Each structure stands twice: as C-alpha cells, then as structure tokens.
Amino acid sequence: MSGLLVVTAVPAEAEAIQAGLADPTVAVLPVGVGPAVAGAATARLLALAETAGRPYRAVVSAGVAGGFAGRIAVGGTVLGTRAVAADLGAESPDGFIPIDELGMPAELLGGGPALDADPALLAALHTALPAATVGPVLTVNTVTGTTAGTEELVRRHPEAVAEAMEGYGVAVAASQAGVPFVELRTISNPIGPRDRDAWRMRDALTALTAAAPALR
C-alpha cells in the first residue's frame, strides 16, 4: 500500500504543502480547479495506484479557501467534517432546492450531496493541528461574491466554516474507491462581496506550509 495522497487545485498550493512535508511517502499533486476535474483526476490517480498494486491509504483535498466571517479568520486552518455540494440542486420561485430534496437517490449522487470525512483521519489531523477550526466545508462551482449570496449560504448551511471548489468532487472519488477522505483548507479571504485587494493568498499558502507536517 502506498502512503497518503494529497490533491490540490493548483501547483502553488501543492508547492506550499511540499515545502513543509515531513513524510517523504506523501504524494502531493495538483488536479485542477472545480469539482468535476478534481474528482475525475483523483479517481484516475486512485485507479492507477490500485492497478499497480500500491493503493493509497487515504486522500486529502487541500488548498486555500474562503472563510465565513466570525467562524474562521484569514490565515486560519480548517479541517472539514464533511464536504457539501452547496450549489447542486435547482432554482425555484421559492428559492434554491437542494438536490436531495428533488428525490434523487443517494447512489446517483455519489453517496449523497454531503460526504462525511473519515473520523479517524479527521481526528488524527485535529490532534496534530489542535488550533484548526473544524466544521463543514462547502464545495461551489461559483465562488460567492455578494452579500446576498453569502447570507443565503449562511442561512442554508449555518455550521459551515469555509467554501472551496474541489472537496466534494474529491470526496466522491474517494468514496467510490473505498478510500478514507478528509479536507484541509487555509483561509485566504472572507466570504462576501468580491474584493481581490482583501485576499491574503501569501498568508494562506504560508499556513498550508505550516500545516503540512500533519500530513503523514
């Protein structure tokens, strides 16, 4: 069996993690932006490893994210208790309808519109990163950039601490392969009206490097 597989969206995130790794058996690979490409690429990596007789023991979706104000500070670290497909569903005159409320069977959703992190993997990371904020991480196809959109997400997901674009896709790939999954994120910006000047990408990447020794 191979070691841990850590997947990121972009090379800068992978490089930040590699800079802090203490375990040389951990594989860190950028797999692309968004749940579709991240999920497909992760599934391919898992299948290739299994075919080679060296399956990965677990998968971590890692990278930067937006954080909900008051729940996590910019530069903070998040461990996801579950990956939530926050915008998978349908619009209606009465508002957004989540996909599971439309009558879709869970098996057609890769296990459901929200997939829990592996408890043992989550606990191990939390032990190594005790200051991390723990809670659900939303996966979105469109990053939230308005006050109204933020308020709607807070209303629908009152326990969520962050949003990113890959976690749910990676979680589905891991679930289909029977491999434990967890999501680790560091915060580059508060979720809300889009303001690139308020983003602290360097702080978030530095936090990824600082969190990397926990990946083992």
Side-chain angles (χ1 to χ4, degrees), residues 40-134:
T42 301
R44 179 176 181 272
L45 291 171
L46 293 174
L48 287 173
E50 184 173 0
T51 299
R54 295 177 296 170
Y56 289 105
R57 62 176 179 82
V59 180
V60 180
S61 177
V64 304
F68 285 101
R71 302 178 185 177
I72 178 70
V74 171
T77 298
V78 165
L79 297 174
T81 56
R82 54 176 24 198
V84 183
D87 54 12
L88 185 61
E91 290 185 332
S92 81
D94 296 322
F96 180 80
I97 305 173
I99 193 70
D100 54 329
E101 295 182 16
L102 297 174
M104 292 287 182
E107 60 268 22
L108 296 183
L109 300 173
L115 296 176
D116 290 336
D118 178 77
L121 188 55
L122 178 62
L125 283 177
H126 199 202
T127 297
L129 299 167
T133 298
V134 179

Side-chain angles (χ1 to χ4, degrees), residues 13 31 33 69 156 164 171 185-186 196 198 201 208:
E13 294 166 323
V31 292
V33 178
R156 287 171 39 216
R185 296 283 174 178
T186 56
R196 287 298 299 269
M201 191 65 69
L208 271 182

Side-chain angles (χ1 to χ4, degrees):
M1 178 173 288
S2 296
L4 188 68
L5 172 63
V6 180
V7 295
T8 70
V10 299
E13 294 166 323
E15 291 163 6
I17 292 170
Q18 288 166 337
L21 275 181
D23 185 345
T25 69
V26 176
V28 186
L29 296 167
V31 292
V33 178
V37 67
T42 301
R44 179 176 181 272
L45 291 171
L46 293 174
L48 287 173
E50 184 173 0
T51 299
R54 295 177 296 170
Y56 289 105
R57 62 176 179 82
V59 180
V60 180
S61 177
V64 304
F68 285 101
R71 302 178 185 177
I72 178 70
V74 171
T77 298
V78 165
L79 297 174
T81 56
R82 54 176 24 198
V84 183
D87 54 12
L88 185 61
E91 290 185 332
S92 81
D94 296 322
F96 180 80
I97 305 173
I99 193 70
D100 54 329
E101 295 182 16
L102 297 174
M104 292 287 182
E107 60 268 22
L108 296 183
L109 300 173
L115 296 176
D116 290 336
D118 178 77
L121 188 55
L122 178 62
L125 283 177
H126 199 202
T127 297
L129 299 167
T133 298
V134 179
V137 177
L138 308 183
T139 298
V140 295
N141 286 278
T142 302
V143 173
T144 305
T146 66
T147 298
T150 303
E151 291 174 348
E152 174 65 9
L153 282 183
V154 169
R155 183 188 68 79
R156 287 171 39 216
H157 303 283
E159 297 181 353
V161 294
E163 74 166 18
M165 300 183 74
E166 294 78 34
Y168 179 75
V170 175
V172 170
S175 176
Q176 294 289 308
V179 176
F181 161 86
V182 74
E183 188 165 4
L184 184 155
R185 296 283 174 178
T186 56
I187 304 304
S188 61
N189 60 279
I191 299 169
R194 187 170 176 81
D195 178 9
R196 287 298 299 269
D197 292 336
W199 288 20
R200 298 291 181 265
M201 191 65 69
R202 182 174 296 178
D203 291 347
L205 292 174
T206 298
L208 271 182
T209 300
L215 299 168
R216 56 179 66 237

